[in-house]
Amino acid sequence: SRHNQVGMAPMRPTTSAFLAAPPQLQAPSVQQATAGSAGRTAVPSPIERSVVAATARTTSPSNLAVAAPVALLLKIGLATRGTLPRRRRGRAARRQARVSVDAPMALNEEAVALERQAAQLRSSIAVLEEEQYEVERMRRLDLFNSFDIDRSGAVCAQKLQTGWPRVSNVGLDHAMASRLLQAHDQNESGALEFDEFDLKRLEGTLEAIVAEREAEELVAREEERERQAQLEREQQVKEYYENLPGNPDATWSTRIVSSLAYVLPVLDAAKLGVPLGILFPMLLPGLDALLIVDKLIPWGSFVLFLALQGMGNRRDLPSLMRFNFHQAVWLDVAVGLTKLATELIGQVDAPMASNIWVVVCILGFLLTLAGIAYSAGSTLLLGSAPRSIPWVSAQTEESMGMRRPDFDVASDASNKGDDRGQQA
């Protein structure tokens, strides 16, 4: 009780002290020792209750002789009760220490075992790769021998062409076989040896050759199509310039009547030739005759203009006649425009105006005579329509309902040549 008062842990009673203590004091001592040794709670445990009960039974003098050994054993149990957990914890700590020491050793053993297994796997893989290589080599050798029938150790272009249908559905001609041989003949021996013979590479090269040939054939077909189109265009242009729509009559009577239509532009152009007649007096009699005829028939040129225009629209007349009627009308229009220009220039009061007027009159007259001579000569001598006068012939064709081709053969051919040069 003194120790409990000062807050110290109670000392365990010895066996001799227990035996020497009166029986009446043993129960409290046992209770204090038990509570002190537990150190956790004052609630009596089953063992403590058994000790108290045994102590109570031993308080009588008759039971002291028997109770003493029993109490001694109980006391020893109580004294050793606190040491059992510590012993267990000690054994657990020792086991943990052994585990912590044995763990690295076990890991090292595991690593060694894994390395040994990895080495075995690598060895097995190497063996499998060697076996696969040998199998592939034998397969390639059998394939090579299927081409190398005479066992010469080399496959030439002829052997390649002969044996190719046995391994592929793609046809192989001699030219393609020669290109395959040239592409894979590394030592340039003229034949494929075993190390150079690889079917997959040969098939890849053949696919490229076939694609290239198909591209060349496509280009050739496109060029042929363009050539045919060019020929068709040239034929259309030829037919356009050689033939006129409608009646193809070109007899002499038709030619003569067609040529007479150019009297209209000659009469209207006579006035433009006066300056030229002044320069060359030998032309004045002819010019005077034309001017007299033009004056004798009032509105004669206008009436002739309307007559030619109407007859040119008649589709039952020969095409050559209709063309010349229309062309005579458009030549007369050109003469009229020239005369209008000279009238405007004559109204200008300038030093050079008179000279310009003379030049315009002479040029207009000469150009009109040249157009009339070309038209009449082509009609009378050749029996063909004079269709080469700039602007006048184009207007004449439109008057007849003709339409020129939308392309120019020469420029189209030159453009094609440029395109081919760029492609090359």
Side-chain angles (χ1 to χ4, degrees):
S1 64
R2 182 173 57 82
H3 290 295
N4 290 335
Q5 291 176 0
V6 298
M8 297 177 62
M11 298 179 62
R12 292 194 183 94
T14 61
T15 303
S16 58
F18 178 79
L19 293 177
Q24 295 82 358
L25 299 176
Q26 289 178 359
S29 301
V30 172
Q31 292 175 0
Q32 293 175 1
T34 305
S37 63
R40 292 184 302 271
T41 178
V43 179
S45 64
I47 297 177
E48 291 174 347
R49 288 195 295 271
S50 300
V51 172
V52 172
T55 306
R57 286 193 301 270
T58 57
T59 52
S60 61
S62 60
N63 294 331
L64 288 174
V66 179
V70 173
L72 177 60
L73 294 175
L74 291 174
K75 183 62 178 178
I76 292 171
L78 289 173
T80 59
R81 181 171 175 266
T83 62
L84 291 176
R86 289 193 296 272
R87 291 178 182 176
R88 294 191 187 97
R89 288 194 296 273
R91 288 194 296 271
R94 287 191 295 273
R95 286 196 299 271
Q96 186 66 28
R98 286 195 299 270
V99 169
S100 62
V101 173
D102 295 340
M105 297 178 61
L107 290 176
N108 291 335
E109 292 177 357
E110 248 181 75
V112 172
L114 290 175
E115 289 180 357
R116 188 180 300 110
Q117 293 178 2
Q120 292 176 355
L121 288 176
R122 287 193 293 269
S123 177
S124 301
I125 291 172
V127 171
L128 288 176
E129 289 179 349
E130 186 177 356
E131 291 178 355
Q132 290 179 357
Y133 174 77
E134 187 63 25
V135 170
E136 180 66 19
R137 182 178 177 279
M138 294 303 297
R139 188 189 67 81
R140 287 182 56 198
L141 183 59
D142 293 340
L143 187 61
F144 180 79
N145 290 333
S146 66
F147 283 84
D148 185 20
I149 301 175
D150 57 356
R151 298 297 185 272
S152 63
V155 175
C156 60
Q158 183 63 34
K159 293 180 181 179
L160 193 62
Q161 180 182 358
T162 304
W164 193 262
R166 292 193 292 268
V167 297
S168 177
N169 295 327
V170 181
L172 188 67
D173 55 18
H174 186 73
M176 297 174 68
S178 299
R179 292 186 62 179
L180 278 178
L181 181 63
Q182 184 178 3
H184 294 274
D185 186 14
Q186 299 177 359
N187 57 5
E188 298 181 357
S189 61
L192 295 179
E193 299 176 357
F194 176 71
D195 295 334
E196 299 170 340
F197 188 87
D198 190 341
L199 184 61
K200 292 183 178 180
R201 292 179 58 193
L202 290 172
E203 289 177 347
T205 305
L206 180 61
E207 290 178 359
I209 293 174
V210 171
E212 182 180 354
R213 176 173 290 187
E214 290 178 353
E216 292 176 354
E217 292 177 353
L218 180 62
V219 171
R221 288 195 298 269
E222 184 66 20
E223 291 179 352
E224 180 64 21
R225 187 184 65 81
E226 292 180 357
R227 191 181 68 84
Q228 292 295 334
Q230 177 68 14
L231 292 176
E232 291 178 1
R233 288 192 289 266
E234 293 176 356
Q235 183 65 27
Q236 291 176 7
V237 171
K238 183 179 179 180
E239 292 177 357
Y240 175 82
Y241 284 106
E242 289 182 354
N243 301 318
L244 293 174
N247 188 352
D249 182 18
T251 59
W252 280 103
S253 59
T254 301
R255 297 181 188 184
I256 294 172
V257 174
S258 299
S259 301
L260 292 176
Y262 294 100
V263 173
L264 174 65
V266 169
L267 292 175
D268 285 339
K271 187 177 179 180
L272 296 175
V274 173
L276 186 63
I278 295 173
L279 295 175
F280 300 95
M282 64 184 67
L283 300 177
L284 288 176
L287 293 173
D288 290 339
L290 293 175
L291 291 173
I292 292 171
V293 172
D294 188 29
K295 289 182 179 180
L296 287 176
I297 306 174
W299 301 94
S301 297
F302 181 71
V303 173
L304 185 57
F305 180 90
L306 293 179
L308 292 176
Q309 182 72 23
M311 294 177 65
N313 292 328
R314 291 182 55 178
R315 297 183 179 276
D316 58 331
L317 296 178
S319 300
L320 181 62
M321 188 180 298
R322 293 178 57 209
F323 184 88
N324 283 281
F325 288 169
H326 280 290
Q327 183 145 288
V329 169
W330 281 104
L331 273 174
D332 191 60
V333 171
V335 171
L337 293 175
T338 306
K339 292 169 68 174
L340 178 62
T342 58
E343 293 292 336
L344 294 175
I345 295 172
Q347 299 297 325
V348 177
D349 187 8
M352 298 295 294
S354 59
N355 296 331
I356 295 174
W357 180 85
V358 171
V359 172
V360 172
C361 288
I362 293 174
L363 285 177
F365 181 73
L366 292 177
L367 290 175
T368 303
L369 289 182
I372 293 172
Y374 162 72
S375 299
S378 177
T379 302
L380 286 173
L381 300 178
L382 302 177
S384 61
R387 303 172 62 178
S388 300
I389 301 177
W391 185 76
V392 174
S393 296
Q395 298 301 321
T396 303
E397 292 170 358
E398 289 184 4
S399 299
M400 292 186 64
M402 300 173 61
R403 184 177 180 182
R404 291 192 173 190
D406 296 334
F407 48 83
D408 188 358
V409 177
S411 62
D412 188 64
S414 63
N415 293 333
K416 283 185 178 182
D418 296 339
D419 295 339
R420 292 173 184 173
Q422 292 177 1
Q423 292 178 0

